[in-house]
Amino acid sequence: MGSMSALFYRLGAAARRTGWSGLVLALLCAMLSTFVVAPAHNDSLYIRDDVRIPVADGHYSLALTILRPRGEGPFGAIILNHGVGEGARDRFLESPTLFIQAASAFVSRGYAVVMPLRRGFGETGGAFAEDAGECASPHYGSGERAAARDVLAAYEFARELPYVDPQRMILAGQSAGGVASLYAAAQQPAGLVAVLAFAAGRGGNPDVHPGIPCAAEALAGLFQDLGSSVRVPVMMYYAENDLYFGPVASRSWFQRLQAGGVEAEYVLQPPFGNNGHFVFGDMKGVELWLPTVERFLQRHGIPFAPAKQRI
């Protein structure tokens, strides 16, 4: 049987073809989520917590899902950030379950994984605050500020958890979540040691211009600005056949980020499946990027060994 991310993709495709209501599909997603993460035995490798937290100076709260190893810790923490779907229905259906394979891999390396649903997504609900406007004149900054506000709320909450080492924090994300992670990192939050950005970008439209995002140069300018403020090592990870952000765009963004002065590494793996944009959340994809992440973190002295190797 394929990975859960592939199953959700097929459900979404079926919904678009058959006209299922968002409510019906959301219920299916909720049931699948319960099936995947509910511990079958008391010796499950991880514990799941679902909580809501207030956003400072805001009038809303965020839904968070936390996966953590068993034991008292202290564990490092990874704030894992989702992307942005192509429309309101995709945002409504956003769920931490889509990243359950990736999150479980991080837990197996001794990290607590905090997965916030930002404002306008899934169980958090509310108004979508990350719209960058038209491609002809995008305003990426305002959208990223809104995204980073929620990311940092989850980040600060995680630092206060009794089982988390507040000096071993990592920001990670896929697609727009990778950009949001970088923007949050540019605020230089205490305890941050690295950023992992998978298929990071905005403005992709594989149906119209496969691999060629709109307003790529405007986003490149944002990456360069962020590169001047991020103070921790960054890994930018892409696949050759990413139909949202092809190699020309992703290399350009990396170069501009690096030009800002940040210590960054660019990884371009061979093609993955029909669209390498989704390698991060796929079970088979995890097997490809996990060793790369381990080597990257080890080069920077950040513990990331499998649980059985940790002392």
Side-chain angles (χ1 to χ4, degrees):
M1 183 175 179
S3 71
M4 290 307 299
S5 59
L7 179 57
F8 274 94
Y9 180 82
R10 290 195 295 271
L11 280 173
R16 289 188 287 273
R17 288 195 305 269
T18 63
W20 291 355
S21 72
L23 177 59
V24 171
L25 189 53
L27 288 173
L28 283 170
C29 290
M31 289 188 290
L32 283 168
S33 173
T34 301
F35 174 78
V36 172
V37 301
H41 305 285
N42 289 334
D43 60 353
S44 171
L45 294 179
Y46 57 74
I47 297 171
R48 172 174 174 160
D49 299 308
D50 293 288
V51 301
R52 291 192 76 97
I53 64 167
V55 176
D57 301 325
H59 303 288
Y60 60 97
S61 61
L62 300 177
L64 307 183
T65 293
I66 304 170
L67 262 59
R68 57 187 173 96
R70 291 191 172 275
E72 298 181 358
F75 309 114
I78 295 175
I79 313 303
L80 182 54
N81 301 296
H82 61 77
V84 175
E86 296 179 13
R89 172 177 285 189
D90 289 335
R91 295 195 296 270
F92 174 72
L93 295 173
E94 187 64 53
S95 168
T97 301
L98 298 171
F99 284 161
I100 205 69
Q101 305 290 351
S104 298
F106 288 136
V107 172
S108 74
R109 300 306 178 102
Y111 281 78
V113 181
V114 178
M115 294 178 280
L117 286 166
R118 302 190 299 278
R119 182 157 57 109
F121 295 89
E123 291 185 11
T124 289
F128 178 54
E130 301 176 26
D131 189 356
E134 299 295 327
C135 278
S137 57
H139 44 87
Y140 287 118
S142 61
E144 298 310 324
R145 281 192 295 274
R149 179 180 185 176
D150 292 352
V151 170
L152 289 172
Y155 183 99
E156 294 302 332
F157 172 80
R159 292 193 79 228
E160 298 298 324
L161 291 170
Y163 49 80
V164 164
D165 177 354
Q167 300 305 316
R168 188 155 50 102
M169 305 288 295
I170 294 174
L171 285 164
Q174 190 263 349
S175 195
V179 184
S181 297
L182 284 165
Y183 201 98
Q187 313 313 307
Q188 302 177 17
L192 183 64
V193 296
V195 178
L196 307 174
F198 295 88
R202 295 265 193 178
N205 191 332
D207 296 327
V208 179
H209 298 292
I212 304 174
C214 72
E217 177 57 30
L219 190 58
L222 176 66
F223 273 110
Q224 185 160 344
D225 290 342
L226 296 179
S228 66
S229 299
V230 176
R231 295 288 185 266
V232 298
V234 173
M235 186 188 75
M236 296 182 70
Y237 189 105
Y238 296 88
E240 286 183 3
N241 65 329
D242 189 319
L243 298 185
Y244 286 80
F245 315 124
V248 172
S250 63
R251 281 197 184 97
S252 170
W253 292 338
F254 165 73
Q255 290 166 357
R256 296 290 287 276
L257 181 79
Q258 197 175 44
V262 69
E263 184 176 3
E265 296 182 24
Y266 176 80
V267 178
L268 185 67
Q269 74 151 61
F272 178 83
N274 294 325
N275 185 351
H277 189 70
F278 301 109
V279 63
F280 175 68
D282 191 281
M283 181 169 61
K284 293 182 179 179
V286 170
E287 298 172 0
L288 298 175
W289 58 254
L290 189 62
T292 303
V293 169
E294 180 176 4
R295 290 190 293 269
F296 168 78
L297 294 177
Q298 286 181 341
R299 281 195 294 273
H300 295 284
I302 301 168
F304 196 73
K308 64 181 181 180
Q309 296 182 14
R310 294 195 314 274
I311 297 175

